[in-house]
Amino acid sequence: MIARGQIKGVLRPRGLARLLAAGVVFAAALQAGTMSAQAASKPLAPNDVSILFPPPKSAADLANLIAVSDLAGPSASPQRLFSDADFARFIDNAENPEHPSVPDSGARHIQFPDAVKKIEAWFVAGIRIDPGAPGLSPEIISQFGRQPQIRLIIQPVTNGPDGFKVHDTAGHLIFSFSLDPDAPLGGCAPFPRFKPDDEAFKAIVRDVATLRDQLGAGHFGNVKVSTAGDLNVHPGLVGASAKSFREALKAVIEKHLSPQRLNTMAVMGIAPPEPWIFVSMLRVPQAGLITVPGPTLDGMHAAQMFSAIGGKHVVPQPGPNNQNPITCRHAALQNPPLPQADRKGVSTSEFIDGNVPDSRIIEIVNTIADPKKSHFFNTDCVSCHTETAQPLVRKIPSFAVPGVNRAVWPKEDWNVRNFGWFPSFLHGGPAAATITRRAAAETADVVAFINSQLLNK
C-alpha cells in the first residue's frame, strides 16, 4: 500500500528550516567522510547498529527526539513515512487483534487513551539495523532466507492536563530490504524464503559508518564522541552532540526508508494499569495490514498477555519450538499449523507460572536469549520480553547481562522492554532506558555479520 497522507507541519517555515538543516548536517557529514574514497571503514560497534534515544523527562526533551509524524519518505517526498491509513490500522489492530470467530483465550485487549490514538504523540525511541531477520545463523537462513531490516521502535509521549507522560506502550515499524523471494520450503507456505537486497542495505551501512566517523571527529556539536563499549543510550544523543546528531539520523532514515518498505509491525500495550498485551501485524495482498496468529500459539490467536496479578500470568500458554532443529514450520497462517505435539521448546512461562529450580531458569533463559536457537517463529513474545528482567528480580546467582551497560538493565520484573523506555506503574518517576540480554545477543550477531559480510564490500 502506498502512503497517501500528506506531511503535516514539515512544509511550514519552521518545519522546512529543520528539514534543510538536517540535509546540510548530513551532507557535510557525507562529504567529510568521503574525502578519501578508498579508505576502508573501521568495524562497527554495537551502539552503531542498535541506537537507543534517551527517555524524555519533560516536554523540552522532545526537541532531541524524532517525531513519527515528522518522518517523510525518500528525499523529503510529500508522503509521510507512516501514513494516516497505516497508523489507523495499527491502532485498530492493536485494540481488536482477534478475528470475531476465534474463541476467547482469556487475554485482555490493549486500551489506548485518546491522546495516544494521534500519530503526533509517537516518537522514535530506538533504531535497530539488522542485515537478516529472523536470524543470521546458517540454519535459520537455510529455512527462512535472509531479510535485511531497519526497525523503528516507537513510543507515545503526551503532555496534557494530566502532565507529561511516557506511556507504557511501544510499537515496531519494520522496513524490509528484499528482492523477489525464493519459493517456500515444503509445508511452510505462505511464507517464502527471503532474498536480501544487499546492495541497498550496504548503502545504509556506509552511511552509518560515516555518522560514526563524524561523531568521533567532533563534527556534531564540536565534541568528539566514541560509540565503542557496551550497549547503552547512544552516546551521540546526549550532551552537546544530541541535536545535530539527531538531525543527521533523521536524514538517514528519510534517505533510505519508504512507505513501500513498511510491511511488518508489532505493538505492546496495556489494559491500564496492566496486563501487557503483544500483537504482531503483516501486510498481505488485498487484505492489507492484518494481525498475525502467534507462531508459537494455537494457529488462531494473535494476542499474548503477561499479567502481574491473577492466578495465571501468561495467556495463552505458548508452545515454543526452540529446542528442535530449526524449521520454517510454525503456527502463523500455515495450513495446517505445526501441531503442538511436534514442538519442543522452553518459555519463561514455565517459571513465571510455576516453581522451578534456579538451574532450570538459567537453562530456559539461555535458550531464549540465544538468537541462533530462538527467533520470532519458534519463541513466544512474552518469553523474549521477560528473559532478562525476571531472572534479575529473582536474583538468580551468577546471572548477568553481558554486552549491556548496567545502567540500562531492567530494574523491575514488570519491565517488558527489550530496547526502549519503561515507565514504572509501581514506582513512578522518569521512564527508564532499557536494554536486555536478548537485544545485546542479537546486536552482537548483527555487528559480526555486517563487519565480515557487508562493510567495505
Side-chain angles (χ1 to χ4, degrees):
M1 182 184 297
I2 298 177
R4 294 183 174 87
Q6 296 294 313
I7 299 177
K8 298 179 181 178
V10 169
L11 297 184
R12 293 197 296 266
R14 184 179 176 186
L16 183 58
R18 290 200 303 269
L19 185 63
L20 291 173
V24 169
V25 168
F26 186 58
L30 289 181
Q31 181 180 14
T34 56
M35 290 178 63
S36 177
Q38 303 304 314
S41 292
K42 297 181 297 182
L44 296 178
N47 285 303
D48 297 321
V49 298
S50 292
I51 300 167
L52 182 62
F53 283 76
K57 298 179 181 178
S58 69
D61 293 335
L62 299 180
N64 287 338
L65 301 180
I66 299 174
V68 174
S69 59
D70 283 347
L71 283 171
S75 302
S77 75
Q79 294 179 338
R80 179 188 279 161
L81 195 58
F82 194 21
S83 71
D84 288 335
D86 279 352
F87 179 73
R89 287 295 295 272
F90 172 80
I91 295 295
D92 184 61
N93 284 341
E95 292 192 316
N96 303 282
E98 305 292 5
H99 191 276
S101 64
V102 172
D104 183 15
S105 70
R108 296 175 63 187
H109 286 198
I110 295 170
Q111 298 172 16
F112 289 132
D114 287 342
V116 169
K117 295 181 183 182
K118 300 176 181 178
I119 194 170
E120 291 79 11
W122 292 74
F123 293 82
V124 176
I127 304 169
R128 301 283 301 275
I129 298 168
D130 184 354
L136 288 165
S137 72
E139 293 79 10
I140 294 176
I141 292 173
S142 70
Q143 291 288 310
F144 293 91
R146 177 169 64 84
Q147 185 181 70
Q149 298 178 342
I150 291 183
R151 298 191 291 274
L152 302 183
I153 296 89
I154 62 173
Q155 293 191 227
V157 184
T158 57
N159 188 31
D162 296 331
F164 182 81
K165 183 175 183 179
V166 177
H167 292 261
D168 196 359
T169 297
H172 281 199
L173 306 182
I174 303 171
F175 297 82
S176 59
F177 293 78
S178 299
L179 302 173
D180 291 338
D182 293 323
L185 296 179
C188 296
F191 292 91
R193 284 177 291 169
F194 303 119
K195 186 180 292 183
D197 186 350
D198 279 338
E199 290 308 306
F201 203 74
K202 280 189 276 191
I204 298 168
V205 171
R206 288 192 293 270
D207 284 352
V208 168
T210 295
L211 291 182
R212 182 272 318 275
D213 292 343
Q214 295 310 301
L215 269 175
H219 286 260
F220 299 105
N222 294 315
V223 57
K224 295 182 179 180
V225 178
S226 171
T227 60
D230 289 341
L231 277 175
N232 201 346
V233 169
H234 194 282
L237 291 169
V238 296
S241 61
K243 185 173 181 59
S244 54
F245 186 62
R246 171 260 188 210
E247 296 292 336
L249 277 176
K250 181 173 182 288
V252 168
I253 291 171
E254 293 181 331
K255 176 183 177 182
H256 294 286
L257 303 188
S258 68
Q260 293 84 356
R261 294 191 183 278
L262 178 57
N263 292 309
T264 315
M265 304 182 197
V267 64
M268 187 286 303
I270 60 173
E274 68 98 48
W276 296 264
I277 302 106
F278 299 82
V279 179
S280 296
M281 310 175 203
L282 177 69
R283 197 187 305 279
V284 299
Q286 285 80 50
L289 192 65
I290 65 168
T291 58
V292 178
T296 60
L297 301 182
D298 55 10
M300 296 185 296
H301 292 98
Q304 190 184 28
M305 179 182 80
F306 173 53
S307 177
I309 59 178
K312 193 74 173 174
H313 297 300
V314 181
V315 178
Q317 185 75 16
N321 196 37
N322 45 31
Q323 291 184 317
N324 268 331
I326 297 294
T327 174
C328 57
R329 294 280 289 120
H330 50 80
L333 304 178
Q334 293 183 348
N335 188 19
L338 181 65
Q340 291 267 10
D342 292 346
R343 307 180 206 174
K344 178 184 179 183
V346 295
S347 71
T348 58
S349 64
E350 184 176 334
F351 63 84
I352 293 174
D353 276 318
N355 294 315
V356 301
D358 289 351
S359 59
R360 177 59 177 168
I361 293 176
I362 292 294
E363 178 185 347
I364 291 169
V365 297
N366 282 351
T367 297
I368 294 166
D370 185 347
K372 296 177 179 61
K373 297 178 181 178
S374 300
H375 54 78
F376 172 76
F377 293 104
N378 69 7
T379 304
D380 64 295
C381 292
V382 169
S383 287
C384 281
H385 285 263
T386 55
E387 55 78 27
T388 297
Q390 292 292 319
L392 284 175
V393 171
R394 284 168 165 75
K395 301 185 185 304
I396 304 298
S398 302
F399 180 81
V401 190
V404 180
N405 189 292
R406 184 178 288 268
V408 293
W409 289 11
K411 307 298 194 300
E412 252 184 64
D413 50 357
W414 311 125
N415 182 346
V416 295
R417 292 294 179 280
N418 264 351
F419 194 81
W421 310 326
F422 171 68
S424 174
F425 82 105
L426 287 177
H427 303 296
T434 301
I435 303 176
T436 63
R437 194 169 61 142
R438 169 81 198 190
E442 290 174 345
T443 300
D445 278 2
V446 163
V447 167
F449 189 93
I450 287 178
N451 288 339
S452 64
Q453 303 295 322
L454 300 177
L455 189 65
N456 301 317
K457 302 295 184 183

